Amino acid sequence: MILVSPLIDLKSKASQKLQQIGLPTVAHEDWKYVADQDFEVIKSVSHAVQDYKPCSLILETEYVVVLGKSGIDQGRSRLPKNGVTVEFGDSEVNQNALSGLTQSDDGMVLKAISEMTGVLRILVNPQISLDQPIHIAFDESFLNEQWIQPVVIIELGEKATASVVVHPIMVAGGVVNGLVVVSVADHAQGEIVALNLEGRSAQFVSMSYRATLAESSQFQFLQASHHAGKVRSDVQVTFTAPHANSVLRAVLVLDDQDAVHLRTHMTHLVGECFGRQLVKSILNGQSVSEFHGGVYVAKGADLTDSSQSNENLLLSDQARAISRPQLQIHADDVKAAHGANVGQLDDRHIFYLMSRGIPRAQAEQFLLQSFILEALDSISMPGVKSALKKRLMISGEIGE
Amino acid sequence: MVSIQELYAEIEGKSILKGLSLDVKPGEVHAIMGPNGSGKSTLGKILAGHPDYEVTSGSVTFDGGNLLDMDADERARNGVFMAFQYPVEIPGVNNASFLRMSYNAKRKHLGLPEVDPFEFELLLQKQSKLLKLGEGLLDRSVNDGFSGGEKKRNEILQMMLLEPKLVILDETDSGLDIDALRIVAESVNRFKSPDRSFLVITHYQRLLDYIVPDVVHVLANGKIVKTGDHLLVRELEERGYDWLTGAIPSEVGG
């Protein structure tokens, strides 16, 4: 697909920047725990791709956009009929929406933009409130690709409400480098659930989310990681007008060699906004989670209320949790907090449950389930919530 | 019901119980009183199966079986219940779910079918009303952010649900205002039965004004130094413990 101005210029700049900063490698401190292989050399994989069945998470009444290499598979998609535009292409509108990211210094984002062949755009018209979520699922055409770089733009008009589920891309040995750009207009409410499941057959999965919030808007994000493989997620929210509200959550249930590097960042350009970041990890085997949380409060963004929390439970001696919550505050009247803890199940809690007749194994599993339940309960979509609970809470990693 | 013979126990090498013996028959209420550090709470925790305490010698027979051979959960399912002085807060663990899991563990042990959430909620509502425990507390995390009185009432709610044979109340009166104390005590009194025994651990007379004990023991330096009837409570209130522990007798009363 031919890119036209202003993307030609953008592509050129992005490529230069990419050359300058490069892809993340083990040489970068921030990446050393996840980037333990050279992405440019695609190794063959001997094991089969996990049989991921998105259908198990999608209710029949819910909307689905099935995306393939050449665009939307209309036959397998179920699109909303009224008030929503779903299209694939490289229109000027899309280019303008993405050009705002040229300020980004993130190599993966720039690579995705500069090498994209089209954009999936979902526009929810003002005042439209979708009664069912939209699932974005990817078909089998990506399976044997070396670089899969889907770009998705989600725009919610004023007072619109929508929930979107981003399903994983099944790939054998390739690299996924996805970008999802979300724009939430005044008084609109958006929710994204990012499924980071069965990624072990991929060489590396990178997903970047960029959300911009307007006045009195709301944005909820949840990432669920399980059998994740090597993953990098970068979620950034920018508050551009007052009274906006955003909660970013992540539930990472990792085992074996899973390694998830998660960056969440909230930028408060104006005051009177509310932000929360809550990342919970259960780590078994030799898995690693690395959390980089950021809150930036610009000068004059008074009455901001923003905090972040990272809690990690280690179930094995070889699992590791690295946590780096950070605050950068330039305003005077701000409520901000950050916290992190890494540990094992509390013996006092186990004894208390046992003293009420609950066997130790059941008590431990109950504590682990409860640890992640709060985040899962925040999902508004019953089908996804139920499927994720079943998958994450009744899994070998957490004690059954 | 429970027979403790020459019990010696320690924690981290420090000897706490030093030859304690005690027999509690079915239906009896025994009060355990004594000065700080005498081993009262330790006795309760050892009976409940707390893993931090090591029994170095002695025996505890409960309902004809060796209690010390059982893990804490097994003891609970067999009918031992301790209402803790400082119930632990468990953030993220839903109180109602925890109570149902505990209730079903007991039912499973008895060979009864588990109850579903709806059925259990009805039961829970009924019991909560008796304790004047706000329904909001059932939907919150276990003891998380509860006031002192709410924690104690949550403990008593668990006691009522699990219907134990041996109830150990560890300073249940601490942190309770007068009204809450009365509500808790009334619930305990309603709960008395000929086949249920109580060990009431307390410092003060006030709880025992409501829950009148059949037998009162004074624990000092890891062993029982005096046993009497409920009149001993009044005497202790007036004279203190020094006259029993070898220190200078109190000048009050006497």
Side-chain angles (χ1 to χ4, degrees), chain A residues 1-17 90-92 94-96 98-99 102 110-116:
Chain A
M1 198 163 287
I2 299 169
L3 298 170
V4 293
S5 178
L7 271 195
I8 291 175
D9 183 43
L10 170 61
K11 181 179 176 180
S12 167
K13 285 180 183 169
S15 296
Q16 286 173 17
K17 190 115 185 178
D90 63 344
S91 69
E92 197 171 330
N94 294 341
Q95 294 161 21
N96 288 335
L98 294 172
S99 63
T102 52
L110 295 180
K111 183 172 174 62
I113 294 173
S114 64
E115 296 181 0
M116 70 180 185

Side-chain angles (χ1 to χ4, degrees), chain A residues 175-201:
Chain A
V175 175
V176 175
N177 179 32
L179 170 65
V180 179
V181 180
V182 184
S183 165
V184 189
D186 292 353
H187 299 276
Q189 296 179 25
E191 176 187 18
I192 286 189
V193 172
L195 299 176
N196 170 216
L197 312 172
E198 303 301 351
R200 290 175 180 172
S201 57

Side-chain angles (χ1 to χ4, degrees), chain A residues 59-293:
Chain A
L59 302 180
E60 284 182 8
T61 53
E62 296 177 342
Y63 304 117
V64 191
V65 180
V66 178
L67 191 64
K69 275 167 63 179
S70 53
I72 299 169
D73 182 339
Q74 297 288 349
R76 293 163 69 186
S77 297
R78 283 195 301 272
L79 306 180
K81 291 194 172 85
N82 299 312
V84 180
T85 303
V86 180
E87 61 185 16
F88 182 81
D90 63 344
S91 69
E92 197 171 330
V93 176
N94 294 341
Q95 294 161 21
N96 288 335
L98 294 172
S99 63
L101 296 175
T102 52
Q103 301 303 317
S104 170
D105 62 351
D106 189 294
M108 299 305 270
V109 169
L110 295 180
K111 183 172 174 62
I113 294 173
S114 64
E115 296 181 0
M116 70 180 185
T117 55
V119 175
L120 173 66
R121 178 166 175 261
I122 298 174
L123 169 64
V124 182
N125 289 342
Q127 315 280 346
I128 293 294
S129 183
L130 284 181
D131 56 341
Q132 300 290 342
I134 301 175
H135 293 261
I136 301 174
F138 300 89
D139 73 9
E140 306 79 5
S141 61
F142 297 106
L143 189 61
N144 295 309
E145 293 291 302
Q146 290 195 336
W147 278 90
I148 301 99
Q149 304 192 90
V151 178
V152 178
I153 294 176
I154 300 167
E155 293 179 64
L156 304 185
E158 282 186 19
K159 297 183 181 173
T161 302
S163 298
V164 176
V165 184
V166 181
H167 286 253
I169 304 172
M170 290 299 99
V171 55
V175 175
V176 175
N177 179 32
L179 170 65
V180 179
V181 180
V182 184
S183 165
V184 189
D186 292 353
H187 299 276
Q189 296 179 25
E191 176 187 18
I192 286 189
V193 172
L195 299 176
N196 170 216
L197 312 172
E198 303 301 351
R200 290 175 180 172
S201 57
Q203 177 110 217
F204 184 73
V205 175
S206 169
M207 291 298 292
S208 303
Y209 297 86
R210 300 288 184 266
T212 307
L213 308 192
E215 187 172 347
S216 301
S217 62
Q218 292 184 32
F219 177 64
Q220 278 208 59
F221 175 92
L222 182 137
Q223 174 173 318
S225 296
H226 186 229
H227 289 176
K230 300 281 189 291
V231 176
R232 167 263 201 200
S233 294
D234 185 355
V235 188
Q236 298 190 23
V237 173
T238 304
F239 296 88
T240 63
H243 309 302
N245 174 319
S246 180
V247 182
L248 308 181
R249 296 181 177 88
V251 176
L252 317 176
V253 180
L254 309 180
D255 198 356
D256 294 339
Q257 305 282 330
D258 291 334
V260 174
H261 174 115
L262 175 64
R263 179 174 184 235
T264 60
H265 192 91
M266 287 184 164
T267 301
H268 293 267
L269 298 178
V270 297
E272 299 181 65
C273 290
F274 176 91
R276 288 288 180 270
Q277 300 167 48
L278 177 61
V279 176
K280 292 196 168 196
S281 307
I282 296 175
L283 302 160
N284 210 342
Q286 295 176 293
S287 62
V288 181
S289 78
E290 182 172 0
F291 168 70
H292 284 235

Side-chain angles (χ1 to χ4, degrees), chain A residues 332-371:
Chain A
D332 295 326
D333 187 2
V334 169
K335 194 188 287 186
H338 61 161
N341 60 62
V342 180
Q344 296 166 328
L345 285 175
D346 191 326
D347 287 339
R348 295 172 310 145
H349 295 168
I350 295 171
F351 172 66
Y352 189 74
L353 298 189
M354 289 177 71
S355 77
R356 299 307 184 238
I358 301 168
R360 173 178 284 274
Q362 194 180 353
E364 290 176 352
Q365 190 179 17
F366 183 53
L367 290 171
L368 290 171
Q369 290 177 347
S370 299
F371 179 70

